[in-house]
Amino acid sequence: SHRIKTGMEIVVLDVGQGDGIFIRGPKGKRYLIDGGSSDVSMVGKYRIEPYLLSGAVDTLDYILISHGDEDHINGTKELLERQKIGVRIKNLVLPPEQVWDEKLTDLAQMAVQNDTKVLVMGKGDRLTEGKMKIVCLHPDQEYDQEKGNEASMVLDISYKNLDILLTGDIEGQSEQTLVKEEIRGTYEILKVAHHGSKGSSGQRFLEQVDPEIALI
């Protein structure tokens, strides 16, 4: 039987070169932030889904996707297609529609075809569960710059005294905008943008965020 857990649980999944973070909220809702890999074959079927089922997670309330790169979404595609024998997905959450590329558009269509509701989150939108808040910091509904990495959904997750920043593959100008306009305090945990790429994590950004733990 599955042990009853209290509080908030965060698990960074071993998906190789990619992203996949599982969160169990304080009232029991289940979230997956991204889910993909560029070097693990069929990462959804053989890494993500087995982990979820081993913890009695037969339903995900939300999968939140930062952007359309394969190492963030290809495992999610597998989960969407395998729902009848795997894990049920209630909601797929994507950035605002104007930043969708072909891959995000295809992912949204796949979700609809498999009876998963498609939602969008832009700057200021939030999900709340008890004392846990998931707030979108970027992009806003008027974003009209480069799609892809620069338009990654950035999430501020807080629970009691814990603050977490998830940055997708954000780079350059968007990172600078976060420093100027959105990031008001420091964070205990930073999911390092773009897998530690030199195009992200500028000195000013890191000084502002000042994480105790950085995850790549």
Side-chain angles (χ1 to χ4, degrees), residues 5-195:
K5 298 180 180 180
T6 60
M8 176 186 180
E9 178 186 19
I10 306 170
V11 180
V12 181
L13 302 180
D14 178 7
V15 294
Q17 173 74 27
D19 270 24
I21 297 176
F22 171 74
I23 297 175
R24 191 190 303 268
K27 294 186 179 297
K29 288 187 177 181
R30 284 74 62 93
Y31 309 78
L32 184 68
I33 316 296
D34 285 332
S37 178
S38 61
D39 66 344
V40 175
S41 179
M42 300 188 72
V43 68
K45 180 178 180 179
Y46 293 121
R47 292 281 179 94
I48 300 174
E49 184 181 295
Y51 167 75
L52 295 172
L53 295 178
S54 73
V57 179
D58 60 359
T59 300
L60 286 168
D61 294 281
Y62 298 94
I63 295 184
L64 296 95
I65 297 295
S66 62
H67 65 297
D69 283 0
E70 286 296 318
D71 56 355
H72 292 253
I73 68 168
N74 56 15
T76 299
K77 292 178 183 177
E78 296 166 36
L79 295 179
L80 286 169
E81 293 176 327
R82 291 175 52 82
Q83 290 187 73
K84 291 184 179 179
I85 58 174
V87 177
R88 173 81 177 100
I89 301 165
K90 291 183 177 179
N91 299 286
L92 178 71
V93 184
L94 302 178
E97 195 165 350
Q98 74 267 19
V99 307
W100 291 8
D101 54 15
E102 183 177 346
K103 291 180 179 179
L104 283 182
T105 300
D106 290 346
L107 187 67
Q109 293 173 348
M110 182 180 293
V112 171
Q113 291 166 3
N114 288 279
D115 299 319
T116 293
K117 188 175 182 179
V118 177
L119 309 174
V120 297
M121 281 185 80
K123 177 181 174 181
D125 293 333
R126 64 185 59 201
L127 295 169
T128 60
E129 182 184 341
K131 295 183 179 180
M132 185 183 80
K133 291 191 296 184
I134 303 176
V135 181
C136 181
L137 301 183
H138 178 82
D140 61 29
Q141 299 289 351
E142 286 74 45
Y143 180 89
D144 60 358
Q145 305 301 311
E146 180 183 343
K147 297 181 180 181
N149 292 342
E150 284 276 39
S152 290
M153 184 194 298
V154 176
L155 299 175
D156 177 316
I157 302 177
S158 59
Y159 177 68
K160 296 183 177 179
N161 295 322
L162 177 64
D163 294 294
I164 304 165
L165 186 63
L166 306 181
T167 54
D169 279 357
I170 198 169
E171 300 178 311
Q173 184 58 49
S174 293
E175 186 176 277
Q176 294 173 30
T177 300
L178 277 181
V179 173
K180 293 177 183 177
E181 300 179 7
E182 300 302 329
I183 298 176
R184 304 301 181 188
T186 61
Y187 292 82
E188 282 72 40
I189 300 174
L190 168 67
K191 200 293 295 188
V192 177
H194 209 181
H195 321 286

